[in-house]
Amino acid sequence: MNKGNKELNSYAENTWCPGCGNFAILNASKKVFADKDQKNLVMVAGIGCHAKLVDYIDLNHFYSIHGRVPATATGIKLGNPELTVIGFAGDGDAYGEGLAHLMFAAKRNINITMVIHNNGVYGLTTGQFTPTSPEGFKGKSTPWGSVERPFNPLTLMLGAGATFISRSYSNRMENLEMVIDEAMKHKGFSFVEVLQPCYTFYNTYKIYNEKVYDLEEEPPKEHVIEKMTEWNYGSKGNIPIGIFYRETRPTYDESMLREMVPARRKEEIDIEDLLKENT
Amino acid sequence: MEDISILVGGKAGDGIRIAAIIVARLFSRYGYRVFVYDDYPSLIRGGHNFSLIRVSRQKVQANNVGVDLIVALDKQTIEKHASELNDGGVILFDSSKGEVETEGVGVPFKEIVKEMEGMSIMRNSAALGAIAKVAEIDWKIVEEVFYKFLPKKTDLNLKIARKAYDMASAGNLKVENLNQEMMPIISGNEAIGLGAVKAGMAVYYAYPMTPSTGILHFLAANRDRFNILVVHPENEIAVILMALGSAYSGAKTMVGTAGGGFALMVEGLSLSAQSEIPITIVVGQRAAPSTGVPTYSLQSDLHFVLNAGHGEFPRFLVAPGDAEEAYYYTGVAMNVAWSCQVPSIVLSDKNLSEGNYSFDSSMYTVEEAQPILWDGKGDYLRYKDSENGVSPLAFPGNKSATVKVTSYEHDQYGITTEESEKVAFMQQKRLQKTEAVKKEIEDIEAVKAYGKDSDTVIFTWGSTKGACVEAADALGLKVLQPIIMEPFPDLSSYIKDAGRIVTVETNATGQLARLLENNGIRVDHKVLKYNARPFFTDELIERLRKEVL
Ligand SMILES: Cc1ncc(C[n+]2csc(CCOP(=O)(O)OP(=O)(O)O)c2C)c(N)n1
Ligand code: SF4
Ligand SMILES: [Mg+2]
């Protein structure tokens, strides 16, 4: 029996700041999960404000360590490919501490979904710049204003080989649900970036409310990069949300496992033959 | 001769290591027990490589400095090793123009290869033919071994070997038929892989790093045969996180690396402890700090692996000393990890990992242990309180269980907590598992004793036990080899009559000595070697005579 919206709430006390964009991601996820095969669903989280989400939803979870969500999720999927694995990571987490894992998960096209809560700041450690904070960002570690340019995660993911690339905004509930649901349905590596204002350390509601617009339709191949770079995480440009790119490619889990389910492997291996070959 | 030491030397790319193992296989067919040590620099071509082959009636697990036969494929072999030739020994060399000039049995390997239109690496086949002649090995045996172990261009290799066989002359190293059963020859790395597979390993994750790369290659080559998954991820951090993910799914996993890679895994080790997800980590020691001397041996990571990881938590650590022990104790490590939900570490070293041994499969049996699984009654609590701290396992996909694991301190269900009582309770629950581990290994030999009772007792560990056991035998001393390093065994009954305690190990500060002293055992003298080479038996006998007796 599936848990409904209410039963999906765990008894954990919610400790996000009022007004935090994470609430919307939590609600959208619960809505999407209500119709999924819940016993086979595993949530994975990194470390940061975003990650508390898995404590709040009463389903299987692996609350991992900072930056390592894609690696953990890959291992879970390879251990048992029948599981549906969805990772939740922060921008500091996935783009900073553990970028390599994210790139490789995309490269391999492992059949998992990664939701990145991009608030442009390290929330849990009280406000430092992240890889997607704009140039000049005055955080506690860069009070003079960051001298680094942000990178664009969408084009990074495209370059790395992600087969599903999307962006949403926590204040556009319908779009957010749609994107998470589509990402989970996609067979292969699905990337979902959610613009998620941090009410306390980097309140971006006003800017996003003004600039965010819905793509509505997936752009044709030749316009994908143009759409992805319309906004480069700085002050210029409007901000499209929706699904930017979709492609089908054999998944890593299928190619590597070829029907094998390691979690259920029960095998008596006879090594005598191998030893004879070495005699 | 019943105990022969052979050195084969040349440049990287000359096929020295292949030749060495073939030599061992030739003697193995006469019932000899063998041990092969490859000394090679971290480069692909050029440089000086040599392999030491020891063949003997008795089980041998170390080499001597002094050798009975030197096979020189280059000049450096003579320059570096001629002085190591024992009285009555033979030098066999490539006497082709421009190659080696010395006294002994000269056979023009290079010219033979040229004449037969072979590739230059086939000089090693010429050398093998000549070695066979020097040791008076039956040509039929040479053919048999070539067909079995050199499957590519066997006929051409044999033709080359035959020519050299005919041109060489018998030395005074005649092989004898020892009328003992032939044994397989495998490396320590292969033994580790086999032990893991026997204990139910379903997935192996590793990033290449000497000296553990051999495990990765061996398991990858045998993936289908063992029906396992073998994955080479982007780095060691991914290695351990993926392994923990798979184990959470319910798949038994192992990872393998060396000290540097293990350093990257340490945060994951601590996660394994907090989340109580079983993991087995093979750490092959090599000469460190840092990149160090990558293809050479040292035993300097004992305290690193004993203490690695932030926080306090139980772990299981074994340090096998030969191929049979590597096989068996890797199986034990896998079983303990899953029975007690603790991280387990197999500490090897380059000498053991890459050494090739006659392997006696009748010594040990590895059987897969079954973890404690949830009985399906009531609500599932991943971290349920239990008598010994071990909570029954369920895996995601179970319709009656929600399985929540975490790096945070947590309640019994697996949800983050900061409440003082719950924090203290969980810390206690995890530490309690030390007793569970002790119980699990009650019947497993934690310490091995060798030699006669003597006033002076030698402690050693890991692959150094090979030279130690032989040296002690020659000198009439008792040797103790702790294999289970954590939880550290009670040694009182072994040393109650000991007058003097001496440690022998290959590091600069005496890491086993320190561990003994931490456990209340006074160490009187440390015999150390830290030039990144293993102890040799003859060398160790001299050192013990001078420093200890
Ligand atoms: C290895 C490691 N380094 C640093 C930290 C401290 N830390 C915890 S959360 C965090 C940053 C969180 O930022 P982000 O991933 O963007 O998540 P957010 O809090 O914004 O949701 C850091 C640096 C950690 N937990 N682990
Ligand atoms: S600090 Fe920011 S991201 Fe964290 S809970 Fe508060 S508002 Fe949300
Ligand atoms: Mg953030």
Coordinates of all heavy atoms in Angstrom, one line a residue, chain A residues 3-14 26 30 43 52-59 61, chain B residues 402 404 411 413-416:
Chain A
K3 N 1.9 5.1 0.6 CA 1.7 6.1 1.5 C 1.2 7.3 0.8 O 1.7 7.7 -0.2 CB 2.9 6.5 2.3 CG 3.4 5.3 3.2 CD 4.8 5.6 3.8 CE 5.2 4.4 4.6 NZ 6.6 4.5 5.0
G4 N 0.1 8.0 1.3 CA -0.4 9.2 0.7 C 0.4 10.4 1.2 O 1.3 10.2 2.0
N5 N 0.0 11.6 0.8 CA 0.7 12.8 1.2 C 0.9 12.9 2.7 O 2.0 13.3 3.1 CB -0.1 14.0 0.7 CG 0.8 15.1 0.3 OD1 1.9 14.9 -0.1 ND2 0.3 16.3 0.5
K6 N 0.0 12.5 3.4 CA 0.1 12.7 4.9 C 1.0 11.6 5.5 O 1.9 11.9 6.3 CB -1.3 12.5 5.5 CG -1.6 13.6 6.5 CD -3.0 13.5 7.0 CE -3.3 14.2 8.3 NZ -4.7 13.9 8.6
E7 N 0.8 10.4 5.1 CA 1.6 9.3 5.6 C 3.1 9.4 5.2 O 4.0 8.8 5.8 CB 1.1 7.9 5.2 CG -0.2 7.5 5.7 CD -1.3 7.8 4.7 OE1 -1.2 7.0 3.7 OE2 -2.1 8.6 4.9
L8 N 3.3 10.2 4.2 CA 4.7 10.3 3.7 C 5.5 11.2 4.7 O 6.7 11.3 4.6 CB 4.7 10.9 2.3 CG 4.6 9.9 1.2 CD1 4.4 10.5 -0.2 CD2 5.7 8.8 1.2
N9 N 4.8 11.9 5.5 CA 5.5 12.8 6.5 C 6.1 11.9 7.6 O 5.3 11.1 8.2 CB 4.5 13.8 7.2 CG 4.1 14.9 6.2 OD1 4.9 15.2 5.3 ND2 2.9 15.4 6.4
S10 N 7.3 12.0 7.9 CA 7.9 11.3 9.0 C 7.7 12.1 10.3 O 7.1 13.2 10.2 CB 9.4 11.1 8.8 OG 10.1 12.3 9.1
Y11 N 8.1 11.5 11.4 CA 7.9 12.3 12.7 C 9.0 13.3 12.9 O 9.0 14.0 13.9 CB 7.8 11.3 13.8 CG 8.9 10.3 14.0 CD1 10.1 10.8 14.6 CD2 8.8 9.0 13.6 CE1 11.2 9.9 14.7 CE2 9.9 8.1 13.7 CZ 11.1 8.6 14.3 OH 12.1 7.7 14.5
A12 N 10.0 13.4 12.0 CA 11.1 14.3 12.3 C 10.6 15.7 12.3 O 9.7 16.1 11.5 CB 12.1 14.1 11.2
E13 N 11.1 16.5 13.2 CA 10.7 17.9 13.3 C 11.4 18.7 12.1 O 12.6 18.6 11.9 CB 11.2 18.5 14.6 CG 10.7 19.9 14.9 CD 11.6 20.6 15.9 OE1 12.5 20.0 16.5 OE2 11.4 21.8 16.1
N14 N 10.6 19.5 11.4 CA 11.1 20.3 10.3 C 11.8 21.5 10.9 O 11.2 22.3 11.6 CB 10.0 20.7 9.4 CG 10.6 21.3 8.1 OD1 11.4 22.2 8.1 ND2 10.1 20.7 7.0
L26 N 10.1 19.7 -1.1 CA 9.6 18.6 -0.3 C 8.2 18.3 -0.7 O 7.9 17.1 -0.9 CB 9.6 19.1 1.2 CG 9.0 18.1 2.2 CD1 9.7 16.8 2.4 CD2 8.9 18.8 3.6
K30 N 6.9 14.8 -2.5 CA 5.9 13.9 -1.8 C 4.8 13.7 -2.8 O 4.3 12.5 -2.9 CB 5.4 14.6 -0.6 CG 6.3 14.4 0.6 CD 5.6 14.7 1.9 CE 5.1 16.1 2.0 NZ 4.5 16.5 3.2
M43 N 15.7 7.4 -1.5 CA 16.2 8.8 -1.5 C 17.6 8.8 -1.0 O 17.9 8.2 0.0 CB 15.3 9.7 -0.7 CG 13.8 9.6 -1.0 SD 12.8 10.6 0.2 CE 13.1 9.8 1.7
K52 N 18.0 17.6 4.6 CA 17.1 17.2 5.6 C 15.8 16.6 5.0 O 15.0 15.9 5.7 CB 16.7 18.4 6.5 CG 17.9 19.0 7.2 CD 17.5 20.3 8.0 CE 18.7 20.9 8.7 NZ 18.3 22.1 9.4
L53 N 15.6 17.0 3.8 CA 14.3 16.5 3.1 C 14.1 15.0 3.3 O 13.0 14.5 3.5 CB 14.5 16.8 1.6 CG 13.3 16.4 0.7 CD1 13.1 17.5 -0.4 CD2 13.6 15.1 0.0
V54 N 15.2 14.2 3.3 CA 15.0 12.8 3.3 C 14.6 12.3 4.7 O 13.9 11.3 4.9 CB 16.3 12.0 2.9 CG1 16.6 12.3 1.4 CG2 17.5 12.2 3.8
D55 N 15.0 13.1 5.7 CA 14.5 12.8 7.1 C 13.0 13.0 7.2 O 12.3 12.4 8.0 CB 15.2 13.7 8.1 CG 16.3 12.9 8.8 OD1 16.5 11.7 8.6 OD2 17.0 13.6 9.6
Y56 N 12.5 14.0 6.4 CA 11.1 14.4 6.5 C 10.1 13.5 5.8 O 8.9 13.5 6.0 CB 10.9 15.8 6.0 CG 11.8 16.9 6.8 CD1 12.2 18.0 6.2 CD2 12.2 16.6 8.1 CE1 13.0 19.0 6.9 CE2 13.0 17.5 8.8 CZ 13.4 18.7 8.1 OH 14.2 19.6 8.8
I57 N 10.7 12.7 4.8 CA 9.8 11.8 4.1 C 9.9 10.4 4.5 O 11.1 9.9 4.7 CB 10.1 11.9 2.5 CG1 9.9 13.4 2.0 CG2 9.2 11.0 1.8 CD1 10.1 13.6 0.5
D58 N 8.8 9.8 4.8 CA 8.9 8.4 5.4 C 9.1 7.3 4.4 O 8.2 6.5 4.2 CB 7.7 8.2 6.3 CG 7.9 7.1 7.3 OD1 9.1 6.8 7.6 OD2 7.0 6.4 7.7
L59 N 10.2 7.4 3.7 CA 10.6 6.3 2.7 C 12.0 5.9 2.9 O 12.7 6.6 3.7 CB 10.4 6.8 1.3 CG 8.9 7.1 0.8 CD1 8.9 7.7 -0.5 CD2 8.1 5.8 0.8
H61 N 15.8 5.7 2.9 CA 16.8 6.8 2.5 C 18.2 6.4 2.9 O 18.4 5.6 3.8 CB 16.4 8.1 3.1 CG 16.8 8.4 4.5 ND1 15.9 9.0 5.4 CD2 18.0 8.2 5.2 CE1 16.6 9.1 6.6 NE2 17.8 8.7 6.5
Chain B
T402 N 10.8 0.1 6.0 CA 11.4 1.3 5.5 C 12.8 1.4 6.0 O 13.0 1.3 7.2 CB 10.6 2.6 5.9 OG1 9.3 2.4 5.4 CG2 11.2 3.8 5.4
K404 N 16.1 3.2 6.6 CA 16.8 4.5 6.7 C 18.2 4.4 7.3 O 18.3 4.0 8.4 CB 15.9 5.5 7.5 CG 14.6 5.9 6.7 CD 13.8 6.9 7.6 CE 12.7 7.7 6.8 NZ 13.2 8.5 5.7
D411 N 18.2 8.1 15.6 CA 17.5 7.2 16.6 C 17.4 5.8 16.0 O 18.0 5.6 14.9 CB 16.1 7.8 16.8 CG 15.2 7.9 15.6 OD1 15.6 7.3 14.5 OD2 14.2 8.7 15.6
Y413 N 15.2 4.3 14.4 CA 14.6 4.2 13.1 C 15.5 4.7 12.0 O 15.4 4.3 10.8 CB 13.3 5.1 13.1 CG 12.4 4.9 11.9 CD1 12.1 3.7 11.3 CD2 11.9 6.1 11.3 CE1 11.3 3.6 10.2 CE2 11.0 6.0 10.1 CZ 10.8 4.7 9.6 OH 10.0 4.6 8.5
G414 N 16.4 5.6 12.4 CA 17.4 6.1 11.4 C 17.2 7.6 11.1 O 17.7 8.1 10.1
I415 N 16.4 8.3 11.9 CA 16.2 9.7 11.7 C 17.2 10.5 12.6 O 17.4 10.1 13.8 CB 14.7 10.1 12.0 CG1 14.0 9.6 10.7 CG2 14.6 11.6 12.2 CD1 12.5 9.9 10.7
T416 N 17.7 11.6 12.1 CA 18.7 12.4 12.8 C 18.3 12.8 14.2 O 17.1 13.1 14.4 CB 18.9 13.7 12.0 OG1 19.2 13.3 10.6 CG2 20.1 14.5 12.6

